[in-house]
Amino acid sequence: MRKILFIILFTSIHIIAFAQQKTLIQGHIQNPNGQALDGVTVSLVEQKSTTMTDVKGNFQFSTDLKGKLTIKALLIGYNMATSKVDIQDTNVKQIKLILIPSDETLQTVEITGRKEKNYTNSVSFAGTKTAAEIKDVPQSIQYVTKELMQDQGAVRMTDIVKNVSGVNQYTFYDDVSIRGFRNQGGVGSNSSNQLFNGLRTFNGFWRQNLLNYLERVEVIKGPASALFGNANPGGTINKVTKKPLDTTLRSINFQLGSFNTVRTNADFTGPMNKEKTLLYRLNLGYENANSFRDLLFDKNIVVAPSLSYIPSDRTRINFDLVYNKSNSRLDRGQSIFGSTDLYSTPTSLNVADINDFLNEETYLVTTSVSHKLTDHITFNTSFLRTGYRQDLFEHRSTAFAVDEKGKQIQELAFRRASLRHNEQFSDSFTAYLSSDFKTGPLQHMLVTGYDYNNSVIPIGSSQQDATGYRLKDGSVTAKYVVKDSAKYEMYSYKGKMIPKPNVPSFDLSKNTHSLLDVNGYVYAANNTDVVVPSYSQQHSIYVQDQISINRLKVLLGLRYDTYLTDMGYKTSQVERVKQTALLPRFGLTYEVSRNINAYATYTTGYNPQTASSQNSKSGGPFDPLKSNLLEAGLKTDWFNNRLSATASVYKIEQRNALYNALDPDNPDLMIQIGKDISKGVEMDVVGYITPNLNIIATYAYIHAVLKGAQGGADSLYNNQQKPNTPKHMGSLWAKYQFSNPLLNGLGLGAGAYYVGNRTFGFQGQQSILPSKGPSYLLFNAAIYYKIDKVQLQLNMNNITNKTHWVGGYDSSRLYPGAPRNWLTSVTYSF
């Protein structure tokens, strides 16, 4: 008993003595006008502790450290402030900091890097082609920052956009739907719907590249044609690369995870001279990973340097390069028995074979210049060159094999093989003047400009397909005709004689792969959109005025586009199609209060029809797809702009959809009818409630239907929810960083992702429609621990090991999601 009392007394004395040695640091933070700033994130660097100012701008720390300590203060919209405090005794220390408003928004082209270090991003350059506060843009613009990507371990597009309302994965490819409209824009597309640093580009589509070089991903909801020309009516994805910073930061990241995943990333940035007029950034990436899917692997190399030259406060010049080289196999999805039982084969099943390969190279080169001609007029210009090369060999399933009587054998997938070489290039150029001026009580931000872009598939691309059935005379025919069975080669399968295919069928019940003798295949040329020489170009002029009067902001825009495409480019069968479009845009934003903006918008859009439908054989050329958007909503900021919330309602209508005319004498003939209508509600919340708690939450209700389909098989979707579009979907992610001295450096993350029932895709009259894709709810978590310059991270995804499908076309191409998996990361910053 005496020993216990002694220990208690001894401990108490030490605690009191320890407490008496602590120094109290008290501070006050204000802006240059003397106004107190609340919600400022304040850090005591050496102690690795963080707090926030109260409504009076005050903060305090208690520390037992001695010597010169560093206080840092950060608030969105202000430059970071730093102060030194010398602790030599236990007296109370008083400090005062003044935060200066940031001039980052003075960039009219995004050239130097974003300094915000959390899930928030206050400015978008893509929404209006000027640096605009997102809350002032009369259209829904959602984003995902690199900090959120890092915390979730998200390295590919479909994982990143799960944090954006109304965006759903469509396939395994670089392929999503936005508000019910599929967003592709891949190789062979004459109407790419992706932007890279605000400039039109295309993507490889067949697989998803590593995105370790991105600062953020923005989704501009609704047709953005008035800004960028032809665009997807659901929305446009803009990839923004990491730009150089004027402070030195370096980090190396190493990852190990499920499916033998190995990744290494590096990010270096800083000034290259004392004057900080020349800045650099270098991002490197390496990946070697397998998959839960049979035979699948990914080997990637990414090199992404960036340079910024700022010779004066009037001129900024930037150069960006992203080079990606990959070796992989193309994944066409899971095949199932029959048409409805999704569980009849394992989700790992893949009908590809060992011979298959997909080798790709992509480069994107961007240059940007921004120059202030006067204090009120700025000239901006940017140029992007995109290049792509692909070499592919694949086995894929298209239907079921048949027996001698023509009856389907539902455990035997009928396959074809494709050998493809493809090249595609595009150029995108923009030049515009932005000027701010007043006319009476009206404040204007006027933008006038010219855009040009082109896309070319040169002569030299080709595709050969091996498909059909073998005849006894050594030739191949596309179909098996029962009455002519004597002409076909036959072989024995489970006691039955069945027609021999050109390419060996895949036995779903055995699920075995082998190295095939592909030299015996009989090939025929296949002139698909991705290999037929083509050339398209677009010339555009536009004017846009953002008018402010008191609390009201009005956006008026008008764009004129001329679109030309040459099918059979540089061949004797060239066919030219020329189309024009006049695209108005109108929007209102009203500041209801300091924290709430209400907005409404009307925008129009168009998209050229697919290249294959523009020839005379199909009945073309056809008028482009035309769309319009009506949208209204609220954009709010809370806790001193640390947390933003957006709520919107919308209606999108797209006209001029193409359908097969069902003419037996002209099977390729198309007709132009139909209407796509999407109505919905969206809510997004992103930011940090306290310095320790970051959060992002989304919800979307989407009612997207097809109307006016032309009979036949296509009518299955008439008045039904569009393919791969859930009516309800939502996500939640939160990260908490402990500041308690005992748990200092420890962080926890957790989230959930929900997708409702969907109808899978439908591809033509011969496809078999499987059952609806079941809804699914996934749970993810993460744990972080930082020691000095090293951060350890563990991400756990699909914790409950939920079997689910992210999308699908038909019974031969279903896209299951990954089972339970994990990823560990070690990051060293110096």
Side-chain angles (χ1 to χ4, degrees):
M1 184 68 180
R2 290 181 179 178
K3 289 184 178 180
I4 295 175
L5 290 173
F6 177 78
I7 292 172
I8 293 173
L9 180 61
F10 181 82
T11 305
S12 300
I13 292 172
H14 275 73
I15 291 174
I16 294 170
F18 180 78
Q20 289 175 342
Q21 293 174 3
K22 284 185 175 291
T23 301
L24 190 64
I25 303 172
Q26 295 179 335
H28 178 76
I29 299 180
Q30 62 187 43
N31 65 19
N33 298 324
Q35 297 170 319
L37 295 175
D38 69 309
V40 180
T41 302
V42 189
S43 301
L44 180 55
V45 176
E46 288 77 9
Q47 188 168 284
K48 299 178 184 176
S49 56
T50 304
T51 187
M52 295 182 72
T53 57
D54 59 22
V55 292
K56 296 182 180 181
N58 298 323
F59 69 91
Q60 71 176 27
F61 288 104
S62 178
T63 181
D64 60 345
L65 299 177
K66 302 298 181 182
K68 292 183 178 181
L69 305 183
T70 306
I71 302 289
K72 287 187 176 181
L74 181 65
L75 180 65
I76 294 173
Y78 292 83
N79 291 321
M80 183 177 68
T82 302
S83 177
K84 292 285 187 180
V85 56
D86 192 0
I87 308 292
Q88 299 298 338
D89 50 46
T90 59
N91 295 331
V92 175
K93 303 297 180 182
Q94 300 282 351
I95 66 171
K96 182 179 179 179
L97 289 171
I98 296 176
L99 293 190
I100 307 299
S102 170
D103 64 351
E104 283 187 70
T105 57
L106 296 179
Q107 299 182 58
T108 49
V109 174
E110 190 165 7
I111 286 176
T112 52
R114 162 184 166 272
K115 292 184 177 179
E116 296 165 341
K117 295 182 180 298
N118 45 56
Y119 295 176
T120 57
N121 178 64
S122 55
V123 175
S124 172
F125 295 80
T128 59
K129 287 205 169 183
T130 61
E133 294 281 343
I134 291 177
K135 67 179 182 179
D136 292 335
V137 180
Q139 196 166 353
S140 178
I141 299 177
Q142 306 302 328
Y143 56 84
V144 180
T145 66
K146 67 178 183 297
E147 289 78 14
L148 178 56
M149 299 180 209
Q150 179 179 325
D151 286 349
Q152 293 184 342
V155 296
R156 289 187 162 79
M157 182 59 68
T158 52
D159 292 322
I160 294 169
V161 295
K162 288 178 180 178
N163 298 287
V164 179
S165 62
V167 183
N168 185 54
Q169 188 171 347
Y170 206 98
T171 64
F172 286 148
Y173 317 135
D174 197 350
D175 185 16
V176 298
S177 67
I178 306 176
R179 291 182 169 179
F181 294 90
R182 190 177 183 187
N183 189 305
Q184 292 176 277
V187 173
S189 171
N190 63 344
S191 56
S192 174
N193 290 298
Q194 294 218 6
L195 302 176
F196 186 81
N197 290 324
L199 293 167
R200 182 179 297 278
T201 185
F202 65 93
N203 57 289
F205 181 68
W206 300 113
R207 52 174 298 282
Q208 299 180 54
N209 290 332
L210 281 178
L211 298 176
N212 63 300
Y213 52 86
L214 290 188
E215 176 65 43
R216 67 184 180 274
V217 172
E218 297 177 331
V219 180
I220 306 166
K221 302 289 188 65
S225 299
L227 280 174
F228 304 107
N230 55 292
N232 184 288
T236 302
I237 295 176
N238 181 35
K239 302 174 183 176
V240 182
T241 57
K242 295 176 183 175
K243 302 297 190 298
L245 297 173
D246 58 8
T247 55
T248 299
L249 295 173
R250 298 181 292 263
S251 67
I252 297 175
N253 172 265
F254 182 70
Q255 297 180 334
L256 288 174
S258 297
F259 321 125
N260 297 317
T261 297
V262 177
R263 291 195 198 100
T264 302
N265 301 307
D267 184 2
F268 308 114
T269 186
M272 298 180 70
N273 58 7
K274 292 182 180 179
E275 296 79 15
K276 296 186 177 182
T277 57
L278 186 61
L279 314 176
Y280 84 98
R281 193 152 194 167
L282 176 63
N283 277 269
L284 303 172
Y286 168 78
E287 178 184 50
N288 189 349
N290 293 332
S291 168
F292 74 98
R293 304 269 301 141
D294 297 339
L295 295 182
L296 268 293
F297 68 90
D298 246 317
K299 295 182 180 179
N300 297 283
I301 295 174
V302 176
V303 180
S306 179
L307 292 172
S308 291
Y309 179 50
I310 312 172
S312 70
D313 59 357
R314 289 186 172 271
T315 304
R316 298 167 182 257
I317 303 170
N318 194 78
F319 168 84
D320 279 291
L321 167 65
V322 175
Y323 172 79
N324 179 270
K325 182 177 181 181
S326 68
N327 304 106
S328 61
R329 288 192 178 103
L330 179 55
D331 190 355
R332 290 286 187 174
Q334 172 196 6
S335 294
I336 61 173
F337 291 85
S339 61
T340 59
D341 188 359
L342 303 178
Y343 302 89
S344 60
T345 61
T347 56
S348 60
L349 185 140
N350 182 3
V351 299
D353 246 310
I354 296 174
N355 306 64
D356 295 2
F357 59 83
L358 172 60
N359 300 328
E360 296 179 300
E361 283 186 274
T362 307
Y363 67 81
L364 300 103
V365 182
T366 312
T367 56
S368 302
V369 178
S370 178
H371 178 67
K372 279 192 172 185
L373 302 175
T374 70
D375 289 341
H376 301 283
I377 302 175
T378 304
F379 172 72
N380 306 280
T381 183
S382 300
F383 172 78
L384 168 65
R385 171 72 171 181
T386 306
Y388 175 80
R389 178 189 176 100
Q390 175 199 88
D391 287 292
L392 164 77
F393 182 68
E394 68 163 329
H395 289 81
R396 57 177 291 193
S397 173
T398 56
F400 294 112
V402 296
D403 62 19
E404 191 175 14
K405 296 181 180 179
K407 184 180 179 180
Q408 288 185 346
I409 305 174
Q410 296 192 348
E411 71 272 21
L412 199 59
F414 184 79
R415 293 192 299 183
R416 79 180 190 203
S418 297
L419 183 63
R420 180 165 67 230
H421 171 77
N422 170 252
E423 294 183 20
Q424 185 170 341
F425 306 93
S426 74
D427 298 306
S428 186
F429 170 80
T430 185
Y432 58 95
L433 289 172
S434 57
S435 55
D436 62 279
F437 58 92
K438 284 187 175 182
T439 57
L442 305 181
Q443 178 69 47
H444 299 263
M445 173 57 77
L446 183 67
V447 177
T448 57
Y450 166 76
D451 287 350
Y452 168 78
N453 59 74
N454 67 48
S455 182
V456 60
I457 298 177
I459 294 175
S461 296
S462 64
Q463 178 168 324
Q464 292 183 308
D465 289 346
T467 187
Y469 295 90
R470 299 272 186 163
L471 297 178
K472 291 180 179 178
D473 63 7
S475 63
V476 172
T477 184
K479 295 182 179 179
Y480 174 69
V481 181
V482 176
K483 66 178 182 179
D484 297 327
S485 59
K487 298 179 180 179
Y488 292 80
E489 288 189 37
M490 296 286 179
Y491 77 102
S492 177
Y493 175 76
K494 293 185 178 181
K496 294 182 179 180
M497 296 303 295
I498 67 174
K500 185 176 182 180
N502 186 5
V503 175
S505 296
F506 188 88
D507 193 330
L508 302 178
S509 62
K510 291 183 178 179
N511 191 18
T512 57
H513 302 85
S514 59
L515 190 64
L516 301 174
D517 181 10
V518 299
N519 294 322
Y521 296 173
V522 178
Y523 292 93
N526 184 354
N527 293 324
T528 66
D529 287 352
V530 298
V531 297
V532 172
S534 65
Y535 179 78
S536 64
Q537 58 178 309
Q538 185 183 63
H539 299 267
S540 313
I541 55 174
Y542 56 91
V543 59
Q544 176 185 274
D545 195 6
Q546 301 170 70
I547 307 169
S548 302
I549 177 171
N550 297 324
R551 294 185 173 189
L552 180 66
K553 292 181 173 63
V554 180
L555 188 150
L556 302 171
L558 188 65
R559 182 185 183 98
Y560 180 76
D561 267 19
T562 300
Y563 181 88
L564 301 99
T565 181
D566 292 337
M567 293 303 298
Y569 174 61
K570 288 190 176 181
T571 69
S572 58
Q573 286 84 34
V574 64
E575 292 186 62
R576 166 161 285 195
V577 176
K578 179 179 179 180
Q579 296 175 332
T580 61
L582 187 65
L583 302 161
R585 181 189 190 194
F586 175 74
L588 293 172
T589 303
Y590 180 74
E591 186 181 333
V592 179
S593 70
R594 178 172 173 263
N595 301 103
I596 302 174
N597 281 9
Y599 74 93
T601 190
Y602 172 79
T603 63
T604 56
Y606 84 102
N607 240 336
Q609 303 288 354
T610 59
S612 59
S613 66
Q614 294 292 60
N615 55 52
S616 54
K617 187 178 180 181
S618 299
F622 294 99
D623 290 335
L625 294 162
K626 295 181 179 180
S627 58
N628 61 68
L629 164 75
L630 284 170
E631 182 177 319
L634 298 174
K635 296 185 179 183
T636 65
D637 286 316
W638 306 99
F639 308 113
N640 232 325
N641 299 329
R642 300 195 309 272
L643 187 75
S644 65
T646 302
S648 61
V649 294
Y650 65 87
K651 179 183 178 181
I652 302 172
E653 185 176 295
Q654 179 177 257
R655 304 172 300 282
N656 294 339
L658 283 177
Y659 298 96
N660 193 284
L662 304 178
D663 184 341
D665 297 322
N666 298 284
D668 296 321
L669 187 64
M670 309 291 286
I671 58 174
Q672 195 163 36
I673 60 170
K675 185 183 295 184
D676 298 289
I677 298 176
S678 177
K679 302 176 184 178
V681 178
E682 294 175 343
M683 289 181 283
D684 293 82
V685 178
V686 61
Y688 58 104
I689 300 172
T690 72
N692 307 79
L693 179 60
N694 277 273
I695 187 171
I696 184 166
T698 73
Y699 169 75
Y701 168 77
I702 310 171
H703 181 65
V705 296
L706 171 67
K707 292 184 177 293
Q710 174 65 17
D714 292 320
S715 65
L716 287 171
Y717 280 113
N718 205 27
N719 293 316
Q720 292 190 29
Q721 186 80 348
K722 292 185 67 178
N724 290 303
T725 302
K727 280 194 174 182
H728 299 275
M729 61 184 301
S731 66
L732 173 67
W733 175 265
K735 177 189 177 183
Y736 185 80
Q737 194 76 36
F738 291 92
S739 57
N740 185 299
L742 294 176
L743 300 174
N744 191 35
L746 180 66
L748 297 176
Y753 180 62
Y754 174 77
V755 174
N757 293 330
R758 295 137 293 137
T759 301
F760 286 141
F762 186 76
Q763 300 289 306
Q765 299 177 45
Q766 302 303 316
S767 296
I768 300 173
L769 184 67
S771 62
K772 287 184 179 293
S775 63
Y776 58 91
L777 176 63
L778 306 181
F779 293 98
N780 306 317
I783 185 169
Y784 318 89
Y785 189 67
K786 188 170 184 180
I787 311 172
D788 295 327
K789 298 179 179 181
V790 177
Q791 174 166 299
L792 308 177
Q793 179 173 332
L794 170 64
N795 289 87
M796 296 158 286
N797 302 311
N798 192 4
I799 294 173
T800 61
N801 204 28
K802 175 71 174 179
T803 300
H804 63 289
W805 286 263
V806 299
Y809 284 136
D810 50 42
S811 57
S812 294
R813 290 170 293 176
L814 299 169
Y815 301 97
R820 182 189 297 118
N821 61 91
W822 56 271
L823 181 70
T824 59
S825 302
V826 179
T827 303
Y828 176 63
S829 301
F830 58 101

